[in-house]
Amino acid sequence: MPDSYPYIISNNKIEPILSRIRSAAKPERFSRETLTTWGFTASNDRAMVAVLKGLGFLTESGVPTEHYDRLRDPNDWRYVLAERTRSAYSDLFAIDSNMNAAPEAEVKGAMLRITGKDEESVARYYATFKTLAALGKFDPKPTRVSVLPEAVVESVNTVKPKAEAPVEETVHRRRSEYHYNIQIHLPVTTDITVYNAIFKSLKEHLGV
């Protein structure tokens, strides 16, 4: 368990410093000189470097971490601040998962038991913790949903599915055929001219 928590006496400077982090260029190393350059020249402002290190936004040597990059994001900084507050004060949140919204007496009592420090030190720890908790957003971060442009949606909605090619059906047409059966009864005769006359007549009239 920790025997202390990082704190800054001028807690009213925490929000302006975080705001300057979002608007200023990312430094190679974050130090007291960085704060002085930004206009935070009071001796109490320097303690903010230790607070940022305690929250994991800076390494021990003052190099900004990946959490610092998120702290610069205007849409993400409150969420990452809440995440790092939970991590830095994990012993408190192990007692109450909603310690960020807990009454002052409960938070101070937990800090007193964990650190074993005097009430004056605990009051300083609490003031910084409460300021961080008020700035952080502890609600789950909403999932971003991609929305298609209206023109794209309209285009998708107007696309009609391809009609299936009709199955070609082969129609077999049967040609009508007519058959005539003609029976000819030839007379019994020995005169060949009779037969010749009959066949000649069939040829002229029936084309056979």
Side-chain angles (χ1 to χ4, degrees):
M1 293 189 298
D3 57 2
S4 65
Y5 293 106
Y7 69 92
I8 178 173
I9 294 177
S10 304
N11 289 284
N12 62 334
K13 296 292 186 67
I14 292 180
E15 185 173 11
I17 291 175
L18 293 179
S19 178
R20 192 72 181 93
I21 287 174
R22 294 195 300 277
S23 62
K26 177 182 175 181
E28 292 185 6
R29 289 185 182 275
F30 194 106
S31 63
R32 295 176 178 179
E33 287 71 22
T34 305
L35 291 172
T36 301
T37 302
W38 289 352
F40 300 98
T41 56
S43 58
N44 287 328
D45 298 342
R46 301 171 184 173
M48 191 62 185
V49 176
V51 173
L52 292 172
K53 288 180 179 180
L55 291 170
F57 294 115
L58 303 174
T59 65
E60 285 302 316
S61 59
V63 178
T65 65
E66 68 275 9
H67 304 302
Y68 186 96
D69 294 333
R70 292 181 60 194
L71 193 62
R72 300 183 66 236
D73 187 338
N75 298 316
D76 196 27
W77 74 273
R78 290 187 184 275
Y79 292 101
V80 71
L81 182 60
E83 292 172 14
R84 298 317 303 164
T85 299
R86 279 189 181 276
S87 178
Y89 298 89
S90 58
D91 295 276
L92 295 179
F93 284 94
I95 297 172
D96 185 346
S97 60
N98 294 315
M99 190 63 84
N100 55 293
E104 179 178 345
E106 181 182 345
V107 179
K108 284 185 174 180
M111 287 181 166
L112 190 65
R113 295 193 302 273
I114 291 171
T115 64
K117 294 296 178 65
D118 57 87
E119 291 185 359
E120 183 179 355
S121 297
V122 168
R124 292 176 178 175
Y125 301 155
Y126 171 78
T128 297
F129 170 78
K130 200 62 180 175
T131 302
L132 295 172
L135 293 172
K137 198 167 185 63
F138 290 81
D139 299 330
K141 189 175 180 181
T143 303
R144 186 173 182 178
V145 179
S146 299
V147 180
L148 291 174
E150 292 183 3
V152 176
V153 175
E154 184 179 353
S155 176
V156 172
N157 291 336
T158 55
V159 173
K160 296 181 179 179
K162 291 183 179 180
E164 294 184 359
V167 178
E168 294 184 1
E169 296 182 357
T170 303
V171 179
H172 298 281
R173 296 182 178 180
R174 294 185 177 180
R175 186 174 55 184
S176 299
E177 296 181 357
Y178 299 93
H179 300 273
Y180 298 93
N181 294 320
I182 300 174
Q183 295 182 355
I184 301 173
H185 299 276
L186 298 176
V188 179
T189 179
T190 57
D191 188 355
I192 192 65
T193 58
V194 175
Y195 295 143
N196 289 338
I198 292 173
F199 291 136
K200 181 180 179 181
S201 178
L202 289 175
K203 184 176 180 180
E204 290 176 356
H205 293 89
L206 300 180
V208 295

